[in-house]
Amino acid sequence: MHSRPRSLEAAGLAGNPCAWILRRRFQRYTSPATAARFSLSVRGLAVAPNGDLVIADAGNNAIRKLSTAGQVSTLAGGSDVLPQIPVATPAANHANGTGGAAKFKAPQAVAVDAAGNTYVADTDNHVVRKIDPAGNTSTLAGQPGVCGNTDGFGSSATFCLPTSIAVDGSGNVYISESMGLNGITGNPIRKITAAGAVSTVTSKASQKTSRIHFSAGTYIYFYAPVRLAIDTSGTLYAADPNDKVIRKYSPQGSATIVSGTVAEDYGYHYADGPANVAKFGTMDAIALDRKDRLYVLDAGIGGKRIRRIESDGSVSTVVGPTPSCDDSNAPYLCWGQDLAIDASGNFLVNESPSITGSPIQQYSLIRRFTSDGASSSVVAGSTTGVGFADGTGAAARFYMPSGLAAGKAGKLYVADTGNNVIRVVSPTGVTRTLGASGKPCASSGGKVSELSFCFVQMLAVDAAESLYVPNAARIVKATPAGDVVLVADLAALMYDPQMRANDNIAGIAVDSVGNVYAAAASGSAIVKIPLVGEPVVFAGALRALGHADGQGNTARFSRLGNMAIDSKDNLYVIDGMGDDNSVGPTVRKITPAGVVSTIAGSATEAPGLVDGSRADARLTVSQPGFGSMQSARLRLDDQGNVYVRDSVHSVVRKIAVADGSVSTLAGQRTR
């Protein structure tokens, strides 16, 4: 590392940080349960005959297993975590094979038969899969990537978004679907026999639809898939979140209501009592214990609960309700998604928040509740490491840390974006805070203790240990004495008359003399704020987009991103940001004299992950729909090599100073 402080992006040193090099969403190999990590989209659960818990980790396209010995491993899939880029016609991500060679796409549910075979509702592939005890994955029925409702044998049949799955003692597999695509309506239940014949038990399991509020008082009406479970006698049960009832099906497919009455409205209700009095809400999951007692994971008035349904249909609450979700360590059901029951009658619930806008909603774990609901414990995964707390090492908490800058003697400054403050981490891992969350934004002047650094995502530090922080079109300086002063207001330079708005600062750096440089994102120019004098355009031309190397204002950029500076005061900046940019992603270098050159990537090629020579390499620098938090970041080493964090593919690329060749230094594609 350079001895002179400069702007950089690096690995965190305190709290529970997102690693700079790789934000690995799960550990592929066997890990102790509490050390294992899951995606935020863990869905289905099923208990195997030997007591292992099988888990559908939808966000990682993987089927995971929690053994009775407390080890988490990947049973199948997970070899490629797809970038979450919305596309008009989602392609299949499907492959049969052993272990990690198999590919899934957002599997939502699992079931396990008496022989230890696992059946998977491979939801976004529109197929049903089977994993044998040796870990070999095959496709039981359906056509990968084809949404339909055709009966038939094996691959001649089609499914559409299979969402819940159950298997009986004879090897018959039942699947519920979420229809509404390609003109298909309803929420069918389908059956696959042990011989592979696919038939329809019912084309519409619900009488009523569900609805969600869209905008301006309008609603979208749809059929939510029912949740399935099968008892030891082969009776099929369905928890219906549309009608708010529990039904059972005869072998001929006729349905009988076990508990609840078909809802007269769209509300989520709650009432225990006899079958005709009981009321239900979301009915997120259904499960049976070893004594064939029926349970549902349900959310209605007052919170989420685990409820028991007796043979006569009467309902009682066993666990819950959830009084508060403000403490992520509380033994409650706040974000429970699915339910399984082990041999001892304990309840296993996966907590995977679907909303990640709050610090308490960013964790993924499996929790075990005792059969009487009196206590619970985390058996796999971990509670949130997100928050706002100073302290030493793991006691510190951050919320979406982004830009970093290295100070003197090993000190690290962190842009704590979610908390709107700057954190200072000492070489021994002690974290303290600069700024006050909830106070007015530092946009002009004042005291650090009385201001917050609103939406801070980047910062730079000079030799005197003053911090430079962008705020909209302004740059402020926080001095070691605790004063905040305005360095420059770039509104006049960065105002876009076409958009009628100021441009954003996408990158910031300070040279060895104390000159400050700002990269105008859409304006596509580098602005220099000298120690003496007014800000000037140093390289490129404001709002003159394109790609051209050259001196000063003759150079052209196209949507700039993160920026870094080396010990010789050369600037490096990411260019070609945005998914609708006709100019391909590159990394540009600007010398102290203002000469611009392209050191990696191609302006004429689409984004990609291709290693090779300067001319052949391809870069990816931004992910559609994720904004600057998922954009590429730069770092430099002492030899002048440039490192690029590619968040889309979860890898780190290296641009060699010697010849400009690009290689993938760490990580695996889409992991």
Side-chain angles (χ1 to χ4, degrees), residues 11-102:
L13 296 181
N16 290 273
C18 296
W20 180 84
I21 292 181
L22 282 174
R23 295 178 63 224
R24 292 191 64 175
R25 288 186 283 181
F26 73 100
Q27 295 165 338
R28 175 156 182 77
Y29 303 103
T30 302
S31 304
T34 54
R37 295 295 177 265
F38 301 94
S39 76
L40 290 178
S41 297
V42 170
R43 290 297 180 257
L45 304 176
V47 176
N50 65 354
D52 291 346
L53 180 69
V54 181
I55 304 157
D57 191 345
N60 283 318
N61 295 324
I63 306 302
R64 317 283 295 281
K65 182 175 72 174
L66 169 63
S67 72
T68 54
Q71 298 289 314
V72 174
S73 59
T74 300
L75 183 63
S79 59
D80 58 343
V81 178
L82 300 177
Q84 300 300 302
I85 302 177
V87 291
T89 306
N93 184 61
H94 176 277
N96 293 324
T98 303

Side-chain angles (χ1 to χ4, degrees), residues 15-371:
N16 290 273
C18 296
W20 180 84
I21 292 181
L22 282 174
R23 295 178 63 224
R24 292 191 64 175
R25 288 186 283 181
F26 73 100
Q27 295 165 338
R28 175 156 182 77
Y29 303 103
T30 302
S31 304
T34 54
R37 295 295 177 265
F38 301 94
S39 76
L40 290 178
S41 297
V42 170
R43 290 297 180 257
L45 304 176
V47 176
N50 65 354
D52 291 346
L53 180 69
V54 181
I55 304 157
D57 191 345
N60 283 318
N61 295 324
I63 306 302
R64 317 283 295 281
K65 182 175 72 174
L66 169 63
S67 72
T68 54
Q71 298 289 314
V72 174
S73 59
T74 300
L75 183 63
S79 59
D80 58 343
V81 178
L82 300 177
Q84 300 300 302
I85 302 177
V87 291
T89 306
N93 184 61
H94 176 277
N96 293 324
T98 303
K103 292 184 179 181
F104 300 86
K105 192 171 186 185
Q108 297 286 316
V110 287
V112 185
D113 67 16
N117 297 297
T118 297
Y119 299 86
V120 182
D122 193 356
T123 307
D124 284 7
N125 277 327
H126 306 301
V127 295
V128 178
R129 314 290 290 279
K130 178 180 178 180
I131 308 169
D132 69 20
N136 301 304
T137 299
S138 58
T139 300
L140 188 64
Q143 300 173 27
V146 177
C147 169
N149 66 341
T150 304
D151 289 340
F153 277 86
S155 60
S156 66
T158 56
F159 298 88
C160 193
L161 298 174
T163 306
S164 184
I165 193 166
V167 59
D168 67 17
S170 301
N172 298 303
V173 179
Y174 294 85
I175 307 98
S176 71
E177 297 174 88
S178 178
M179 296 303 224
L181 299 177
N182 302 337
I184 303 166
T185 59
N187 53 346
I189 299 174
R190 313 284 294 285
K191 176 182 178 181
I192 309 171
T193 67
V198 178
S199 60
T200 299
V201 176
T202 176
S203 60
K204 187 182 289 186
S206 304
Q207 297 178 26
K208 296 173 61 68
T209 62
S210 291
R211 72 179 186 182
I212 55 173
H213 185 263
F214 185 60
S215 64
T218 29
Y219 288 88
I220 294 177
Y221 295 85
F222 63 97
Y223 288 97
V226 296
R227 328 300 186 188
L228 303 178
I230 295 177
D231 68 15
T232 53
S233 69
T235 301
L236 176 68
Y237 293 88
D240 186 343
N242 306 293
D243 293 344
K244 312 291 192 297
V245 298
I246 296 171
R247 293 184 175 92
K248 67 178 179 180
Y249 287 83
S250 71
Q252 293 74 37
S254 60
T256 305
I257 292 178
V258 174
S259 187
T261 54
V262 175
E264 297 178 356
D265 58 34
Y266 291 96
Y268 296 109
H269 299 290
Y270 165 74
D272 286 342
N276 62 343
V277 173
K279 294 185 183 299
F280 298 94
T282 58
M283 305 187 79
D284 300 301
I286 184 171
L288 290 139
D289 67 13
R290 296 295 174 93
K291 298 178 180 178
D292 280 343
R293 290 180 297 194
L294 196 62
Y295 296 83
V296 291
L297 177 64
D298 189 34
I301 296 172
K304 189 161 283 195
R305 305 167 173 87
I306 297 173
R307 306 172 71 186
R308 182 166 61 222
I309 297 89
E310 307 293 348
S311 57
D312 62 359
S314 60
V315 180
S316 60
T317 296
V318 181
V319 181
T322 306
S324 172
C325 289
D326 292 336
D327 178 5
S328 64
N329 294 302
Y332 299 126
L333 297 170
C334 295
W335 300 103
Q337 303 283 338
D338 208 335
L339 173 68
I341 305 171
D342 67 19
S344 301
N346 299 307
F347 305 107
L348 295 158
V349 178
N350 56 324
E351 297 181 29
S352 296
S354 56
I355 302 171
T356 57
S358 165
I360 64 169
Q361 298 172 348
Q362 296 188 32
Y363 66 95
S364 192
L365 56 82
I366 310 294
R367 192 185 295 275
R368 177 188 289 122
F369 292 83
T370 56
S371 58

